[in-house]
Amino acid sequence: MTEQDTADVVETPVETPSEAVADEVVDDETRDEADIAADYIEELLDICDLDGDIEIEERAGRVYLSVTDEGDALRVLSKPDTVSALQELTRIAVQAETGEFSRLILDVGGSRDARATELQRLVDTAVERIEAGSTSAALPPMSSYERKLVHDLVAEKGFHSESEGEGRDRHTVVTR
C-alpha cells in the first residue's frame, strides 16, 4: 500500500454483540449489570465452543438475558437445573464486579417459556381440583421467580395463592 492508500483507509469501530444490545437498556446501572452478565455468558459459550445470540431486555428494573441459537447447540445448557445454575453463576459474576446483588433472569434456548407453559398446566390442574371440591391444592417446591409467576397466573383465574415452607421446600398453595 502506498502512503495515499493508507490515508484513504478509515477505521470504523466495531461493536461487540453485547455492546450493541446493551445500548437498548435505558438505566446506566442496569447497563453495567447487563454488560457484565452478557460478557460472562459470552465467555462461557466460547469456552464450551457453542454459538449463541445474546439478547438483553429490561423489565420492571430487572435484567433479562436470553441466549438463543439457530440449531440444537444450546440443548444441553437449556435444562432447567442447568439454567438455574448458570443464572446463579452469572449473578455472582455481576455481584463480584459491581458489589451489588443482581436479580437478573437468564433464559437459555427458550427454557423459561417452556417452564412458564409447565407452570400454567400446574395452575390449571390445581384450579380444577379446587373447582371439583378440594379446599386447597399444593404445588411442588419452586424458585421465588417461579412462585411469583404462579401467583400471577392464579390471580388471573380469580383464585388466591400463598407461599408456604422454608428454603428449598418453599411452595405455593392455591385456594379459592
Side-chain angles (χ1 to χ4, degrees):
M1 280 181 134
T2 67
E3 193 173 311
Q4 178 62 33
D5 290 338
T6 57
D8 292 338
V9 175
V10 177
E11 288 191 34
T12 306
V14 177
E15 288 184 313
T16 64
S18 63
E19 288 171 339
V21 174
D23 286 341
E24 297 171 10
V25 180
V26 179
D27 183 275
D28 283 341
E29 184 176 313
T30 305
R31 184 185 335 266
D32 292 339
E33 180 180 10
D35 283 341
I36 293 165
D39 289 345
Y40 181 81
I41 294 296
E42 191 172 342
E43 188 173 331
L44 176 75
L45 291 173
D46 286 345
I47 290 169
C48 296
D49 196 29
L50 295 172
D51 291 325
D53 296 320
I54 301 172
E55 296 176 17
I56 301 171
E57 283 184 67
E58 179 188 347
R59 295 184 227 152
R62 183 177 260 191
V63 172
Y64 286 76
L65 257 71
S66 297
V67 183
T68 58
D69 71 335
E70 294 297 318
D72 249 0
L74 297 176
R75 181 188 42 193
V76 70
L77 296 179
S78 65
K79 295 178 181 171
D81 289 342
T82 306
V83 173
S84 292
L86 290 174
Q87 177 175 285
E88 284 308 308
L89 289 171
T90 306
R91 286 177 172 179
I92 291 169
V94 169
Q95 185 172 0
E97 283 284 321
T98 65
E100 301 286 325
F101 177 74
S102 172
R103 294 179 48 229
L104 73 85
I105 300 295
L106 178 65
D107 179 32
V108 179
S111 62
R112 294 283 177 193
D113 289 338
R115 181 63 175 157
T117 300
E118 186 178 333
L119 292 174
Q120 180 67 61
R121 281 194 299 271
L122 286 172
V123 167
D124 290 345
T125 301
V127 166
E128 287 172 8
R129 286 179 49 202
I130 293 168
E131 288 175 337
S134 293
T135 57
S136 66
L139 301 180
M142 56 189 74
S143 70
S144 60
Y145 175 75
E146 290 176 342
R147 287 193 315 274
K148 168 70 170 113
L149 292 177
V150 166
H151 291 308
D152 292 345
L153 293 169
V154 168
E156 285 176 13
K157 294 197 167 281
F159 287 78
H160 179 74
S161 61
E162 289 185 17
S163 293
E164 294 182 358
E166 297 295 325
R168 296 186 71 90
D169 292 329
R170 193 137 174 93
H171 61 281
T172 307
V173 177
V174 181
T175 58
R176 190 166 287 278

